[in-house]
Amino acid sequence: MFKAIISADTLRTTLDAVSVLVDECKIHLNEDGLAIRAVDPANVGMVDLELSSDAFESYDADGGLIGVNLSRLEDIAGMADAGQLIHLELDEETRKLHIQIEGLEYTLALIDPDSIRQEPDLPDLDLPATVVIEGGDLDRAVRAADMVSDHIALGVDDTSELFYVDAEGDTDDVHLELDADDLIDLEVGPAHSLFSLDYLKDMNKAIPKDAEITAELGEEFPVKLHFDLAEGQGSVTYMLAPRIQSD
Amino acid sequence: MFKAIISADTLRTTLDAVSVLVDECKIHLNEDGLAIRAVDPANVGMVDLELSSDAFESYDADGGLIGVNLSRLEDIAGMADAGQLIHLELDEETRKLHIQIEGLEYTLALIDPDSIRQEPDLPDLDLPATVVIEGGDLDRAVRAADMVSDHIALGVDDTSELFYVDAEGDTDDVHLELDADDLIDLEVGPAHSLFSLDYLKDMNKAIPKDAEITAELGEEFPVKLHFDLAEGQGSVTYMLAPRIQSD
Amino acid sequence: MFKAIISADTLRTTLDAVSVLVDECKIHLNEDGLAIRAVDPANVGMVDLELSSDAFESYDADGGLIGVNLSRLEDIAGMADAGQLIHLELDEETRKLHIQIEGLEYTLALIDPDSIRQEPDLPDLDLPATVVIEGGDLDRAVRAADMVSDHIALGVDDTSELFYVDAEGDTDDVHLELDADDLIDLEVGPAHSLFSLDYLKDMNKAIPKDAEITAELGEEFPVKLHFDLAEGQGSVTYMLAPRIQSD
């Protein structure tokens, strides 16, 4: 059983956070809210998303699992105006999701969850450095790096107490340094890892420019990017595997 | 003889209403205004447009007939700002249309009307159901149907007294119901017909979102869509032939 | 030695004025400001640009010469918001330009000036007619001409005392006449020349719509287009060679 009402804005932000990595996903319809975990086909980027029932206008579920085509669901949510409410109701028999937006009813065929790529286990890493940065600053770093290279280094300098971004191209380089004053928070520790810019660009697309991003970093370790959704009633964690340094 | 002055906005809206169906058309330069009738090459969609001389700043004509390339005339009208006036004058000898926009003079070669597809006779149908709907609601229905299918059913339910839109895709469906409260007006009668979404999308493009659309419907009959232009001083009727139901 | 601070807006306008003609250029880092001269590969369009040191927030140079890839430098300048300042500093040893925008540091590899197309000598022409026209009016003429032809005639009618633009297509024509009242200034003289519209469109892109353009014209002679940058602290002169009339 699943029946819920959610604002178009909240649903869209939620779906976007996952669709930048995968086309289809499983959604756990837990009693206390939705949960989604997914990994991209190359096993490089993962997402772990939770949306509390408090983020909904009304929410009623008892632990089901559905599989959805994300771009299709995004298109439907895109039919609603920002402030409009979207009604969702699962028909257990036909395995279809009924979606209503002000008189308009859309019947979405679900996907057999067993046919969807298995959900990843997010490794429990104890990363030594933590940086809390504005979404807009991360966006600037990613766009600048993209002008010169297809990979990007994220690191923390213990001694100078700063977070840095490095991108080295064939001829040109980009470098950004942010110290404690430029950041919302900084816990220094040894950290330097290289990442694929394509993945970070995709994740960056889903990160609101005014969000606080908590980035956990280590040396040649994955980066974890955490931010809140729906005014704190939802949360997203991205994990991105490092590339091997080719120096 | 033809000499007229018209606001850029009114000319553009008029041309758009025809150009969604055909590339070239004949324009009757009647004493009391312009008249255009055209049918698309597949004989599925027709348009019947009238623009009264009152919609012009000044208008002088005595019954001529010209053939025009619509996209070219739209490009020229597109050079004017919204509030600007466009001067039109026919040179009978050279068969060219002189178009002036604030000092800029464009000389448009006309097309021999005999070389343009014959104007259709709009059948005089007595359709049993009439729905008066806002342009914005029609737009929503058409865009939603387009997500799942390439055809769309429009109908009226006699018993429940409502207008409905149905689109059935391979896996997903869209359904919209509007009752008398949601509509501007509704005269029930037996009506259900299937239409090509491509044509309805084209017509929808030319329909202002805030216009009142009067739709006349029957069972497996064409639909007539009627709306006003130029603050009531012009009118457009589209007629769209039904597709054969394939149940 | 070169070290300067400039607003993002001013840098972008300066680069755009040159990049519409060439991909790479030499920049003279004179004591009193920047100077750029370039000609397109076909030797049809030339640009002569000067930007005074007064257009900068701070400026320090002693006469060097650098070669730059314009689109790359434009991309970097595009990372800054309109009001932001861009810091430029030349590293003489590595021949790289260090560009800083609020903590973001970009290292741009320069191009050997000797490998860049030689700078043109701008011929000192004494053209008989001068027209001072608003950028917006030139833009309108160029866009209208572009609808019918790939070349455009610019001329001055001595007797009627007006500036005109003519474009003749296979079927349609465009004609624009501006007299002394429509223009900022007009010095009549015999002038009529035909130009490639492609070049004039490119130059037009870089001309602000609210700029005063001084156009110097002759009979089958190049046109010179002059306008100011950076609130008068910079100046651009384009010169465009005429096409042979094919009457």
Side-chain angles (χ1 to χ4, degrees), chain C residues 2 43 47 64 80 82 111 137 157 208 210 225 234-235 247:
Chain C
F2 172 63
N43 269 311
V47 59
I111 301 171
D137 284 335
D157 186 327
D210 59 353
L225 299 171
S235 73
D247 296 321

mmCIF file of all heavy atoms in Angstrom, chain C residues 2 43 47 64 80 82 111 137 157 208 210 225 234-235 247:
data_model
loop_
_atom_site.group_PDB
_atom_site.id
_atom_site.type_symbol
_atom_site.label_atom_id
_atom_site.label_comp_id
_atom_site.label_asym_id
_atom_site.label_seq_id
_atom_site.Cartn_x
_atom_site.Cartn_y
_atom_site.Cartn_z
ATOM 1 N N PHE C 2 53.958 42.385 -16.705
ATOM 2 C CA PHE C 2 52.567 42.764 -16.922
ATOM 3 C C PHE C 2 51.733 42.274 -15.752
ATOM 4 O O PHE C 2 51.729 41.093 -15.406
ATOM 5 C CB PHE C 2 52.034 42.165 -18.233
ATOM 6 C CG PHE C 2 50.557 42.353 -18.415
ATOM 7 C CD1 PHE C 2 50.007 43.626 -18.523
ATOM 8 C CD2 PHE C 2 49.701 41.258 -18.471
ATOM 9 C CE1 PHE C 2 48.630 43.798 -18.687
ATOM 10 C CE2 PHE C 2 48.334 41.422 -18.635
ATOM 11 C CZ PHE C 2 47.800 42.696 -18.738
ATOM 12 N N ASN C 43 41.862 38.173 -45.361
ATOM 13 C CA ASN C 43 42.285 39.561 -45.591
ATOM 14 C C ASN C 43 41.140 40.502 -45.946
ATOM 15 O O ASN C 43 41.327 41.482 -46.660
ATOM 16 C CB ASN C 43 43.319 39.630 -46.720
ATOM 17 C CG ASN C 43 44.723 39.520 -46.170
ATOM 18 O OD1 ASN C 43 45.051 40.234 -45.221
ATOM 19 N ND2 ASN C 43 45.508 38.630 -46.736
ATOM 20 N N VAL C 47 40.695 44.580 -37.593
ATOM 21 C CA VAL C 47 40.301 45.263 -36.365
ATOM 22 C C VAL C 47 41.521 45.947 -35.769
ATOM 23 O O VAL C 47 42.636 45.409 -35.827
ATOM 24 C CB VAL C 47 39.664 44.278 -35.356
ATOM 25 C CG1 VAL C 47 40.615 43.154 -34.996
ATOM 26 C CG2 VAL C 47 39.185 45.012 -34.107
ATOM 27 N N GLY C 64 55.663 44.608 -23.358
ATOM 28 C CA GLY C 64 55.784 43.244 -23.857
ATOM 29 C C GLY C 64 54.777 42.928 -24.957
ATOM 30 O O GLY C 64 53.918 43.740 -25.303
ATOM 31 N N ALA C 80 33.564 34.732 -14.535
ATOM 32 C CA ALA C 80 33.343 35.814 -13.565
ATOM 33 C C ALA C 80 31.943 36.384 -13.719
ATOM 34 O O ALA C 80 31.373 36.395 -14.812
ATOM 35 C CB ALA C 80 34.381 36.911 -13.786
ATOM 36 N N ALA C 82 29.375 39.655 -13.743
ATOM 37 C CA ALA C 82 29.553 40.928 -14.462
ATOM 38 C C ALA C 82 30.397 41.926 -13.666
ATOM 39 O O ALA C 82 31.282 42.581 -14.207
ATOM 40 C CB ALA C 82 28.206 41.528 -14.810
ATOM 41 N N ILE C 111 50.638 31.734 -26.553
ATOM 42 C CA ILE C 111 51.047 31.265 -27.871
ATOM 43 C C ILE C 111 52.242 32.110 -28.304
ATOM 44 O O ILE C 111 52.278 33.321 -28.062
ATOM 45 C CB ILE C 111 49.894 31.435 -28.876
ATOM 46 C CG1 ILE C 111 48.665 30.646 -28.412
ATOM 47 C CG2 ILE C 111 50.308 30.996 -30.261
ATOM 48 C CD1 ILE C 111 47.423 30.937 -29.221
ATOM 49 N N ASP C 137 20.361 50.623 -34.816
ATOM 50 C CA ASP C 137 19.889 50.813 -36.191
ATOM 51 C C ASP C 137 20.715 49.993 -37.181
ATOM 52 O O ASP C 137 20.185 49.427 -38.135
ATOM 53 C CB ASP C 137 19.940 52.302 -36.573
ATOM 54 C CG ASP C 137 18.792 53.084 -35.951
ATOM 55 O OD1 ASP C 137 17.747 52.459 -35.663
ATOM 56 O OD2 ASP C 137 18.935 54.296 -35.739
ATOM 57 N N ASP C 157 23.361 59.050 -50.294
ATOM 58 C CA ASP C 157 22.792 59.757 -51.440
ATOM 59 C C ASP C 157 23.058 61.251 -51.229
ATOM 60 O O ASP C 157 22.479 61.877 -50.341
ATOM 61 C CB ASP C 157 21.289 59.453 -51.505
ATOM 62 C CG ASP C 157 20.639 60.030 -52.750
ATOM 63 O OD1 ASP C 157 21.086 61.111 -53.207
ATOM 64 O OD2 ASP C 157 19.692 59.409 -53.248
ATOM 65 N N PRO C 208 28.034 47.153 -29.374
ATOM 66 C CA PRO C 208 26.924 47.333 -28.428
ATOM 67 C C PRO C 208 25.766 48.057 -29.128
ATOM 68 O O PRO C 208 25.987 48.965 -29.923
ATOM 69 C CB PRO C 208 27.532 48.211 -27.326
ATOM 70 C CG PRO C 208 29.010 48.042 -27.447
ATOM 71 C CD PRO C 208 29.274 47.797 -28.900
ATOM 72 N N ASP C 210 23.718 50.121 -28.014
ATOM 73 C CA ASP C 210 23.554 51.527 -27.639
ATOM 74 C C ASP C 210 24.801 52.354 -27.968
ATOM 75 O O ASP C 210 24.913 53.512 -27.559
ATOM 76 C CB ASP C 210 23.210 51.644 -26.152
ATOM 77 C CG ASP C 210 24.293 51.039 -25.273
ATOM 78 O OD1 ASP C 210 25.236 50.421 -25.810
ATOM 79 O OD2 ASP C 210 24.185 51.169 -24.047
ATOM 80 N N LEU C 225 34.370 51.255 -39.528
ATOM 81 C CA LEU C 225 33.380 51.386 -38.463
ATOM 82 C C LEU C 225 34.129 51.630 -37.174
ATOM 83 O O LEU C 225 34.959 50.816 -36.769
ATOM 84 C CB LEU C 225 32.544 50.104 -38.341
ATOM 85 C CG LEU C 225 31.731 49.704 -39.573
ATOM 86 C CD1 LEU C 225 31.142 48.313 -39.385
ATOM 87 C CD2 LEU C 225 30.617 50.728 -39.801
ATOM 88 N N GLY C 234 38.463 53.054 -24.312
ATOM 89 C CA GLY C 234 38.954 52.135 -25.315
ATOM 90 C C GLY C 234 38.297 52.467 -26.636
ATOM 91 O O GLY C 234 37.271 53.141 -26.658
ATOM 92 N N SER C 235 38.898 52.040 -27.745
ATOM 93 C CA SER C 235 38.281 52.309 -29.036
ATOM 94 C C SER C 235 38.558 51.156 -29.986
ATOM 95 O O SER C 235 39.591 50.494 -29.896
ATOM 96 C CB SER C 235 38.828 53.611 -29.620
ATOM 97 O OG SER C 235 40.142 53.398 -30.059
ATOM 98 N N ASP C 247 26.933 43.803 -61.238
ATOM 99 C CA ASP C 247 25.718 44.210 -61.968
ATOM 100 C C ASP C 247 25.868 43.907 -63.466
ATOM 101 O O ASP C 247 26.835 44.302 -64.086
ATOM 102 C CB ASP C 247 25.468 45.716 -61.778
ATOM 103 C CG ASP C 247 25.190 46.015 -60.309
ATOM 104 O OD1 ASP C 247 24.506 45.204 -59.673
ATOM 105 O OD2 ASP C 247 25.700 47.051 -59.813
#
